[in-house]
Amino acid sequence: MSDSPFNPDEPTIGIADAIVFFGASGDLAYKKIFPALQAMVLRRDFDIPIIGVAFSNWTNEQLLQRARESVRKFYPSASDDDFARLAKLLRYVDGDYHKIETFDKLRVELGDAKIPMHYLAIPPSLFPTVIEGLAKSKCAVNARVIVEKPFGRDLQSARSLNRVLHAVFNEADIFRIDHYLGKEAVQNLVFFRFGNTFLEPIWNRHYVKSVQITLAENFGIAGRGKLYEETGVIRDVIQNHLLQVVGFLAMEPPTRTYADSMRDEQVKVFRMIRPLNGDNLVRGQFKGYRREEGVASHSQVETYAAVRLFIDSWRWEGVPFFIRAGKFLPHTVTEVLVELKRPPIAKFFPHLGNYVRFRLNPQLRIGIGARVKHAGEAWTGETVELSALKAKNSDEMDPYERLLGDAMDGEGILFTREDAVEAAWQIVQPVLGPSATPVFEYDQGTWGPREADLLVAEWGGWHTPAVES
Ligand code: BG6
């Protein structure tokens, strides 16, 4: 825990009975929040106020119109009747976040709600203002707060953000969304590891040669030039989403004796990862990035990064964990490949042989690579994959529905705790900033700069995720 002034009150207990979301006219609300609210209204059948707040000079009708468009586009299976159930609960508060009247209006809309939940879907620069408004207007009493990534842009700003939050909210009432933790496929990493007896004996430095995690996207920065200039791929997806994946792959089994054990194990992994340095990082930038709107003509911001991490633990000593992530790569795919060491007789095992592969996106698939003999006289073989494909079922929730529902219930396991945020920043902190390492250009549609191959050369090169139908 940091030494921030900690709210001494007890955490709230019970299910939230009002949902407030700031940034109601914004992009996140349009793409993710309205569809999640629609799903929640149908699944939970609740009857509580859902209040959108924005400073857009909108009317209630405009909010409803926006919600309707969003649900039509991103939750197309909802019928008109389904939407009517959401619309009945939606209210709108318009106002400047710097003015207390805005929060007084919100207080009135909250009525006799006992446990309001405030979702800050707004730029982090506005967090202090909104949190102060919530506190002064008493909207923060017995309340929960949800914040979106980025949780700061380095260790120092993350700490100051945590101080701002803790001045008003108890840590147990702060829900930091990393939507990767809401994904079924990511949760399944933990389940598959600890739900299968055959895995545990080999899940360590004695049997694992290396781990590779690829998050590839075949599109660019989609008009987010200004924002991307402030982030780059290390801050955008490595410090958060992909370190969470490393944490799930590497952690010790959580216990069942207390609820926060999984997050404790996750933080322990982050603390054992050696902070990055220039020898373990290759940064790239796709050709054309500097011509994007909002991007500096000499920008050194990376749109690709490959890193080699080492976890200084008993289990993982000497096993490299590689991560590569980038924009404008050949496909959109997220995949983990855990490669096992080869048996001592090389002829049974010439190249990539035994591995466990977790395809996380676009669909969950788990594959186990095994060697089998070719028919015939020769002792030659091939690698086949034993594969489990998990089709979506009707209980599957979109990450935002899952996470908003958990926050309503006060269930924090799938949210990033303060200590995890800070430990994750500590890992990338030494390589933040344009001068940390050179940035190499790469052609769009390729797997990034060639320089990144050197990082993995000793371990057999990058594994290229196959395109699957
Ligand atoms: C977001 C990043 O957090 O995650 C985006 O800001 C990235 O740049 C996205 O594209 C990836 O998430 P998903 O769920 O599409 O794999």
Side-chain angles (χ1 to χ4, degrees), residues 32 149 179-180 183 215 217 219-220 224 227-228 236-237 240-241 327 332 334 361 399:
K32 300 287 179 190
K149 89 171 228 298
H179 78 282
Y180 257 56
K183 286 180 184 253
L215 190 165
E217 293 177 317
F219 49 86
R224 297 192 298 160
L227 178 82
Y228 213 79
D236 191 35
V237 297
N240 35 68
H241 306 330
K327 302 286 184 192
T332 297
T334 307
N361 186 38

Side-chain angles (χ1 to χ4, degrees), residues 287-297 444:
K287 288 187 186 158
Y289 174 72
R290 293 175 188 174
R291 291 195 300 276
E292 296 267 351
E293 205 185 318
V295 171
S297 55
Q444 296 184 16

Side-chain angles (χ1 to χ4, degrees), residues 218-239:
N218 68 0
F219 49 86
I221 50 169
R224 297 192 298 160
K226 191 161 171 285
L227 178 82
Y228 213 79
E229 281 286 276
E230 296 290 312
T231 48
V233 80
I234 296 176
R235 287 187 171 97
D236 191 35
V237 297
I238 293 183
Q239 185 271 347

Side-chain angles (χ1 to χ4, degrees), residues 251-291:
M251 72 190 203
E252 296 305 314
T255 80
R256 293 185 61 188
T257 51
Y258 69 106
D260 236 6
S261 145
M262 195 157 92
R263 292 198 291 184
D264 284 352
E265 294 304 333
Q266 183 86 324
V267 176
K268 268 160 69 183
V269 174
F270 293 168
R271 291 198 174 130
M272 290 186 293
I273 296 177
R274 266 180 241 164
L276 274 168
N277 58 25
D279 295 340
N280 289 303
L281 164 71
V282 174
R283 298 189 309 130
Q285 188 184 77
F286 65 75
K287 288 187 186 158
Y289 174 72
R290 293 175 188 174
R291 291 195 300 276

Side-chain angles (χ1 to χ4, degrees), residues 18-40:
I19 302 176
V20 179
F21 58 110
F22 289 83
S25 56
D27 208 41
L28 186 69
Y30 181 63
K31 290 188 178 146
K32 300 287 179 190
I33 301 177
F34 290 120
L37 291 171
Q38 173 71 77
M40 287 164 77

